[in-house]
Amino acid sequence: QADARPEDLNLGAVFGAGLGLIASQILNLVLSSAKPQDTAEVSGLNGTFEQLGNAIGVALVGTIMLSSLASALDRQIHEATYLTEAQQAVASEAMSTSIQLVSDTQIAGKLTEAGASEDAVSRIVGAYAEARINSFRIGIGFLVFLAMLGLIFTRRLPNHKLVAP
């Protein structure tokens, strides 16, 4: 977002640094359990499953974020006193057929083209911005939950070298 401040990026920086620091250690752990002659294949498999996990993770978190965005917008549309019932029905129908992350400028432009009043545009853009931020928080919360779950399961990892030196 154009008005993001540097302190808004703190969580992302910490998360990214943590991923960078842990990735090499995970590879070390995986390779320590393989025979020396199998390390190339194990490394390749590890990379393949890492990419697969990234793709599935992005799809899952994206689905959670868009679902929470759609749910919040649907609730806000039906609670909006500044929209007529016909406008609420049109907005709800449009949202149910396609929901996507767009900028405030894009929404304001489309609403203005559709003939919405300046007050309605301002309120709808504000409601969308709030719902979008909350959906991001839900997505990040889900990632934090998975990280904590992973932390719990890492207690079962071996605490010794699996292959003799």
Side-chain angles (χ1 to χ4, degrees):
Q1 205 172 4
D3 60 346
R5 300 176 315 268
E7 54 269 12
D8 294 335
L9 304 176
N10 289 340
L11 180 62
V14 169
F15 188 74
L19 284 177
L21 291 171
I22 194 90
S24 63
Q25 298 309 313
I26 290 174
L27 182 58
N28 284 341
L29 177 70
V30 169
L31 289 178
S32 73
S33 64
K35 295 176 186 166
Q37 65 268 24
D38 295 335
T39 56
E41 289 86 358
V42 171
S43 179
L45 281 171
N46 183 66
T48 300
F49 281 102
E50 181 181 337
Q51 293 300 317
L52 181 64
N54 287 339
I56 292 171
V58 167
L60 182 62
V61 172
T63 300
I64 289 169
M65 288 174 56
L66 288 177
S67 296
S68 64
L69 178 64
S71 173
L73 287 176
D74 191 48
R75 185 180 63 254
Q76 289 177 351
I77 286 170
H78 288 91
E79 292 173 357
T81 57
Y82 52 89
L83 295 175
T84 66
E85 284 186 30
Q87 290 171 328
Q88 287 176 349
V90 167
S92 187
E93 174 64 28
M95 190 192 61
S96 68
T97 59
S98 173
I99 184 79
Q100 53 186 302
L101 293 174
V102 294
S103 71
D104 295 349
T105 308
Q106 289 173 305
I107 286 187
K110 290 292 184 182
L111 289 170
T112 303
E113 285 176 20
S117 70
E118 195 171 313
D119 180 53
V121 169
S122 174
R123 287 181 178 201
I124 292 170
V125 167
Y128 176 73
E130 181 184 327
R132 185 180 58 221
I133 288 169
N134 286 336
S135 71
F136 284 139
R137 286 183 181 140
I138 290 169
I140 294 294
F142 178 71
L143 289 175
V144 168
F145 169 75
L146 287 181
M148 292 297 141
L149 197 61
L151 185 62
I152 291 167
F153 286 123
T154 58
R155 297 188 53 79
R156 298 185 64 200
L157 290 174
N159 196 14
H160 61 282
K161 283 202 174 262
L162 299 177
V163 283

